[in-house]
Amino acid sequence: MFLPESVSKLSRFRSIRYRKYFSLFALADEMDSKVVGIRDRCFWKHAEFRNEKEASLSNYETKRPLFNKDLAFLELGAYQTLNRHYSSHYHTGEIKHKLLGSMPKFVKIVEVGPRDGLQNEKEIVPTSVKVELIKMLVSSGLPVVEATSFVSPKWVPQLADAKDVMSAIQGFGHCRFPVLTPNLKGFEAAMAVGAKDVAVFAAASESFSRSNLNCSIEDSLARYRDVALAAKNHEVPVRGYISCVVGCPMEGAVPPSKVAYVAEELINMGCAEISLGDTIGVGTPGTVIPMLEAVLDVVPIEKLAVHFHDTYGQALSNILLSLQMGISTVDSSISGLGGCPYAKGATGNMATEDVVYMLNGVGVKTNVDLGKLILAGDYISKYLGRPSGSKAGIALSNASKL
Amino acid sequence: MSSLEEPLRLDKLPALSNIDQVYRFSSGACRPVPEDMGMGNCWIEGRSCSSSNSCNEDFGEYKQEHVTWRRHKRNSFHRTSSLGRGSVACRNMGEFDYLSNHHHPSCGDNDTGESKYKLFKGVPKYVKIVEVGPRDGLQNEKTVVPTSVKIKLIRKLVSSGLAVVEATSFVSPKWVPQLADAKDVMEATQNLEGVRLPVLTPNLKGFEAAVAAGAKEVAVFASASESFSKSNINCSIEESLVRYRAVTSAAKKLSIPVRGYVSCVVGCPVEGYISPSKVAYVAKELHNMGCFEISLGDTVGVATPGTVLPMLEAVMAVVPVEKLAVHFHDTYGQSLPNILLSLQMGISTVDSSVSGLGGCPYAKGASGNVATEDVVYMLNGLGVKTNVDMGKLLSAGEYISQFLGRPSGSKTAIAISRRDSRECC
């Protein structure tokens, strides 16, 4: 984390002016005598600062009580204290309890912000911004970042620059960049720009398939078989998405057996991974379990991913439940990008920052640096001119503002 | 049957019994699915649901209506497809949200020991929701909410079926000016029946004022963190416990139940990580002094299931689980998974705030309380009874959000209201 380093440097500056903040309260004196809660950093007792800015940067050791007036101070303190304590696998250790003991040790996070997120934006995001976002996401350690989509610009003008984005990210880090390819034509375009992973998109609901992809489920599967065959020839792995795995805006509840059917078809045609998407976000743990059970009958668990939408605020608890069942791949979107297309103004994708926060807390490895992730989220939120869709992102970055 | 031009509502379907209505809208999980729905390809091979067969037996008697419904549904789809996707989607989404009992309760209580339900084995059948919006929510508002608005909010909440609504707080108006009208609120809500209206009483003086105003239940507020206790209530933990012993013994004489809150059960803004043993100590003290319920509050919202679990284990070792409640904050978006985990551990009382009222005082702009609508949505989906009417709850949330002039803090409320008020798809 960059903040603690700057803190250590600035703490050497001294000033009389802000001393009063630390001596005003009996609290500070009492806590002065003990080292509280900080196990791996040295602890300055009476820090003195040259000016307000430095004082607030070093706030974590002030031990000041919290009053409303000095919100900026304590926010940073809270951020630093809390961030250190809660954004790492700090005190969770080995969880032996049965409820959390069967969770996977490592969860792969598939970041869909640049594609699933940005494709829903009203205004078209410039290529340079997309590339910068992808760069920041890669640097945070995410193993998979869905870069773009080779659908016709007629349908998704926001991703018309697919080719340019792909060329620009060719050299980036140790990250996989799957792209959506709805048909053979899209696949060939993807190959032409050097894509090494592709994804296809089916629906578990006939009506949704017809309205979203303009063809029946069977027709879409037939198309994807062509793509999967071509991909096999190119030795390119294919990821299969299934949408409406719990509910459809038109049909209502979707039977798990339908989801299992589509999942089985996708696996049989050669998909390396199946991502189960609760497109309208109506799933709750009660509906997620039967759906996962049905799919687990036909697809091995290591090939399953979950893609929940947070439209009703249920995504994170659904993710927890999926992890308890052993799922080890989770799709999410930086800053919660990507609204729900079926309820205008409602939220859509689950925010990656919140997912990583929870995974850190339960001791699951993700290899993602939460601090850098939050920077990426801040970047795109600032560009789009609206607050982050991630609560952890807001809480942690608010605390770092002065 | 009902007109197909309007959204289908439960009250318009007299021919279906309650069970059928639940059945109708629940996911296919616990029902056999008929072979051919006639809507297209037969993707269902006619096998009965892969989940527990005992559900089939339960619904055997309803198979007749079940088939009828399926046909009806198919017809309704075909007939209304000409109305445009918009109205069809509206209708079905409406069914989804208001009902959201996708998971039939009996499936959840399956005792055959099948693995998928192991995760729900500890989940209680009924969860009591303690609504803290009027107190914990409104006390954090910058502008003071008029008494009439508070009273109307409380009435709306009560009418939605909530069993406990924390009405107000008898702390000095010097510290909490937003709740200075505690007496008036209590007077106006005296006649509300079928609901408990606890009030916060930080000391004997507040307790006496509460009793004088007609309070029938009180609450006290301790902290698991010494620093937070000093900064929030200006005394150490031990001193606060002494004060509360005075309150509880006075309450016992008047047969008034006392609820104990413990704040900072996972993390403190000043101290950082709070060890579970401290929380257990404070909880035990509150329990010993006579509190009938202990509400464990994650004040800064930093808890995740990994930290909630050891904390609950420590507390459950000294306080019986039926006397425990959880009060998570959604500052980091973690409250619903924490609630889910608590339910799995057997907790059956959850505190929440309508429309997510009550910001986090420690991170400006960050959210605070978890929204009651979201909690009820999840509980409905789990098949857990709450006795809360989602529609009326939503209207209470809408009322206060409109008054405060900002969008609801509940994602469920936003999703439902957006969906209902526009051309979708």
Side-chain angles (χ1 to χ4, degrees):
Chain A
M1 280 303 308
F2 65 92
L3 273 165
E5 286 152 20
S6 60
V7 162
S8 65
K9 287 183 197 142
L10 291 165
S11 66
R12 292 188 207 114
F13 296 123
R14 303 179 151 260
S15 146
I16 305 298
R17 191 176 157 203
Y18 287 84
R19 196 164 207 202
K20 60 177 175 148
Y21 283 96
F22 312 136
S23 57
L24 264 179
F25 312 106
L27 177 64
D29 294 333
E30 183 180 322
M31 293 192 60
D32 183 44
S33 55
K34 18 184 186 180
V35 175
V36 182
I38 317 284
R39 297 177 207 177
D40 63 344
R41 307 264 194 262
C42 37
F43 199 173
W44 296 277
K45 292 180 184 176
H46 288 298
E48 291 163 349
F49 305 96
R50 194 159 62 182
N51 57 38
E52 187 173 354
K53 191 169 160 114
E54 285 147 9
S56 52
L57 278 176
S58 292
N59 194 53
Y60 75 94
E61 74 264 23
T62 65
K63 301 149 278 180
R64 281 189 311 114
L66 307 154
F67 290 151
N68 287 329
K69 355 182 207 189
D70 294 317
L71 224 39
F73 285 78
L74 63 90
E75 280 162 12
L76 184 64
Y79 166 64
Q80 289 175 318
T81 311
L82 300 173
N83 195 34
R84 256 207 322 283
H85 292 292
Y86 303 103
S87 67
S88 63
H89 320 294
Y90 216 26
H91 40 256
T92 51
E94 268 294 313
I95 299 176
K96 300 217 170 37
H97 194 282
K98 62 177 174 347
L99 284 176
L100 296 181
S102 59
M103 303 232 279
K105 307 248 175 323
F106 174 78
V107 161
K108 178 176 75 179
I109 295 193
V110 174
E111 169 61 45
V112 300
R115 197 273 309 165
D116 196 8
L118 296 183
Q119 85 180 12
N120 284 310
E121 288 300 317
K122 286 196 198 70
E123 316 229 325
I124 297 190
V125 175
T127 310
S128 56
V129 174
K130 286 185 183 140
V131 171
E132 179 64 25
L133 173 65
I134 295 178
K135 203 195 280 195
M136 294 180 87
L137 291 170
V138 171
S139 78
S140 74
L142 286 161
V144 183
V145 175
E146 209 175 50
T148 186
S149 174
F150 284 86
V151 291
S152 162
K154 202 174 37 170
W155 299 113
V156 186
Q158 294 89 337
L159 301 180
D161 57 358
K163 244 178 26 184
D164 304 326
V165 170
M166 285 308 290
S167 335
I169 63 177
Q170 274 311 310
F172 285 4
H174 308 283
C175 186
R176 286 171 40 204
F177 298 111
V179 294
L180 230 62
T181 53
N183 47 35
L184 215 44
K185 185 160 158 235
F187 177 78
E188 280 153 16
M191 290 299 105
V193 286
K196 298 200 185 59
D197 279 84
V198 297
V200 295
F201 215 104
S205 145
E206 189 67 40
S207 352
F208 188 82
S209 188
R210 286 185 201 270
S211 76
N212 206 39
L213 311 168
N214 283 310
C215 64
S216 70
I217 297 182
E218 283 306 327
D219 288 344
S220 70
L221 290 175
R223 268 190 228 167
Y224 300 147
R225 278 187 200 101
D226 293 339
V227 173
L229 197 55
K232 202 190 291 193
N233 294 339
H234 282 79
E235 281 173 23
V236 163
V238 182
R239 183 183 219 233
Y241 281 93
I242 306 182
S243 54
C244 292
V245 296
V246 174
C248 163
M250 283 148 275
E251 288 178 20
V254 174
S257 48
K258 269 165 77 173
V259 185
Y261 168 77
V262 178
E264 198 175 5
E265 290 296 313
L266 289 171
I267 279 283
N268 288 347
M269 72 171 72
C271 286
E273 189 170 83
I274 311 287
S275 171
L276 305 166
D278 176 18
T279 309
I280 48 174
V282 292
T284 59
T287 36
V288 165
I289 281 200
M291 184 273 294
L292 284 178
E293 282 275 319
V295 176
L296 286 170
D297 274 346
V298 295
V299 178
I301 198 168
E302 56 274 9
K303 295 195 175 186
L304 280 182
V306 286
H307 183 124
F308 292 114
H309 276 192
D310 206 31
T311 318
Y312 290 75
Q314 308 296 311
L316 205 55
S317 41
N318 290 339
I319 289 174
L320 175 67
L321 193 84
S322 311
L323 294 176
Q324 287 175 325
M325 290 189 76
I327 303 278
S328 56
T329 307
V330 173
D331 296 2
S332 60
S333 176
I334 187 75
S335 178
L337 282 181
C340 171
Y342 299 98
K344 199 166 95 175
T347 55
N349 282 311
M350 180 69 221
T352 309
E353 297 95 315
D354 296 353
V355 176
V356 172
Y357 189 92
M358 181 173 83
L359 293 177
N360 284 350
V362 293
V364 169
K365 258 175 66 106
T366 55
N367 291 341
V368 175
D369 179 331
L370 185 59
K372 292 190 178 146
L373 194 63
I374 290 183
L375 289 177
D378 275 351
Y379 169 75
I380 193 65
S381 300
K382 230 178 255 167
Y383 175 80
L384 293 172
R386 59 174 192 249
S388 171
S390 155
K391 287 192 165 176
I394 290 181
L396 290 169
S397 60
N398 256 352
S400 65
K401 287 202 183 81
L402 297 176
Chain B
M1 280 276 154
S2 56
S3 153
L4 292 166
E5 262 60 50
E6 317 158 16
L8 288 165
R9 300 255 183 218
L10 296 182
D11 49 296
K12 292 227 170 87
L13 302 166
L16 293 180
S17 70
N18 233 12
I19 293 288
D20 281 342
Q21 287 167 353
V22 171
Y23 194 70
R24 166 193 195 121
F25 301 124
S26 58
S27 74
C30 304
R31 298 177 283 134
V33 177
E35 291 213 22
D36 183 19
M37 294 185 38
M39 282 209 254
N41 303 304
C42 176
W43 53 76
I44 301 152
E45 297 87 29
R47 56 180 185 197
S48 45
C49 63
S50 56
S51 46
S52 75
N53 289 316
S54 65
C55 287
N56 294 348
E57 291 154 46
D58 288 341
F59 295 130
E61 54 200 302
Y62 297 116
K63 271 197 179 103
Q64 189 63 43
E65 285 99 328
H66 158 67
V67 172
T68 309
W69 166 64
R70 277 293 187 186
R71 266 190 247 121
H72 168 79
K73 186 171 187 257
R74 188 190 353 146
N75 289 339
S76 75
F77 176 79
H78 284 171
R79 271 184 62 181
T80 55
S81 54
S82 57
L83 292 175
R85 291 194 316 243
S87 52
V88 178
C90 285
R91 175 173 315 123
N92 279 304
M93 292 294 279
E95 290 162 358
F96 249 123
D97 305 313
Y98 282 70
L99 209 264
S100 84
N101 249 349
H102 304 305
H103 184 82
H104 192 275
S106 72
C107 289
D109 305 342
N110 189 330
D111 282 334
T112 62
E114 292 189 52
S115 62
K116 60 182 172 293
Y117 297 123
K118 261 195 212 140
L119 289 171
F120 290 162
K121 226 159 65 173
V123 176
K125 298 189 186 16
Y126 170 77
V127 160
K128 177 176 75 181
I129 295 190
V130 173
E131 170 61 46
V132 301
R135 197 272 309 167
D136 195 6
L138 297 184
Q139 86 178 13
N140 284 310
E141 288 300 318
K142 285 198 197 68
T143 52
V144 177
V145 175
T147 311
S148 55
V149 173
K150 286 185 186 146
I151 293 169
K152 190 159 177 202
L153 174 66
I154 294 177
R155 283 182 187 279
K156 280 180 173 269
L157 290 169
V158 171
S159 77
S160 76
L162 288 161
V164 184
V165 177
E166 209 175 50
T168 186
S169 173
F170 284 84
V171 290
S172 162
K174 201 172 38 163
W175 298 113
V176 186
Q178 294 89 338
L179 301 181
D181 56 359
K183 239 175 38 176
D184 304 323
V185 170
M186 286 311 294
E187 261 168 62
T189 53
Q190 274 307 303
N191 55 351
L192 288 173
E193 288 188 2
V195 65
R196 285 162 40 199
L197 300 163
V199 295
L200 228 64
T201 53
N203 47 35
L204 212 45
K205 184 160 159 234
F207 175 76
E208 281 154 12
V211 171
K216 298 199 186 61
E217 189 171 318
V218 298
V220 295
F221 216 103
S223 170
S225 149
E226 193 67 45
S227 359
F228 188 79
S229 187
K230 292 227 168 103
S231 75
N232 206 38
I233 46 184
N234 283 310
C235 62
S236 71
I237 298 181
E238 282 306 328
E239 283 166 27
S240 69
L241 290 175
V242 165
R243 268 188 224 171
Y244 299 148
R245 278 190 199 102
V247 172
T248 45
S249 59
K252 206 185 290 187
K253 293 203 187 89
L254 296 169
S255 302
I256 291 182
V258 182
R259 184 184 215 230
Y261 281 92
V262 184
S263 58
C264 291
V265 296
V266 171
C268 164
V270 184
E271 284 184 19
Y273 177 60
I274 299 292
S275 101
S277 51
K278 270 172 80 178
V279 185
Y281 168 73
V282 178
K284 187 159 178 224
E285 288 296 312
L286 288 171
H287 182 242
N288 288 349
M289 72 171 72
C291 291
F292 78 98
E293 191 168 81
I294 316 287
S295 171
L296 305 166
D298 173 25
T299 310
V300 276
V302 292
T304 59
T307 37
V308 166
L309 201 142
M311 184 274 293
L312 282 179
E313 277 188 322
V315 178
M316 278 161 55
V318 295
V319 178
V321 68
E322 54 274 8
K323 297 199 173 179
L324 287 177
V326 287
H327 184 126
F328 292 116
H329 276 192
D330 207 34
T331 319
Y332 290 74
Q334 310 293 313
S335 55
L336 276 176
N338 291 338
I339 290 175
L340 177 64
L341 190 87
S342 311
L343 293 175
Q344 289 174 325
M345 292 190 74
I347 302 278
S348 57
T349 308
V350 174
D351 295 2
S352 60
S353 176
V354 68
S355 177
L357 284 180
C360 173
Y362 302 101
K364 193 162 99 177
S367 58
N369 284 309
V370 63
T372 308
E373 297 93 321
D374 297 350
V375 174
V376 171
Y377 190 91
M378 180 171 84
L379 293 175
N380 284 349
L382 277 168
V384 171
K385 262 177 61 115
T386 55
N387 291 342
V388 174
D389 178 326
M390 179 67 109
K392 295 190 176 143
L393 181 64
L394 288 169
S395 107
E398 201 182 309
Y399 168 72
I400 193 65
S401 301
Q402 242 163 33
F403 175 82
L404 294 171
R406 61 174 191 249
S408 172
S410 155
K411 286 192 167 176
T412 301
I414 292 184
I416 295 180
S417 68
R418 299 288 163 128
R419 199 215 59 240
D420 282 345
S421 67
R422 62 46 212 127
E423 337 69 42
C424 80
C425 312

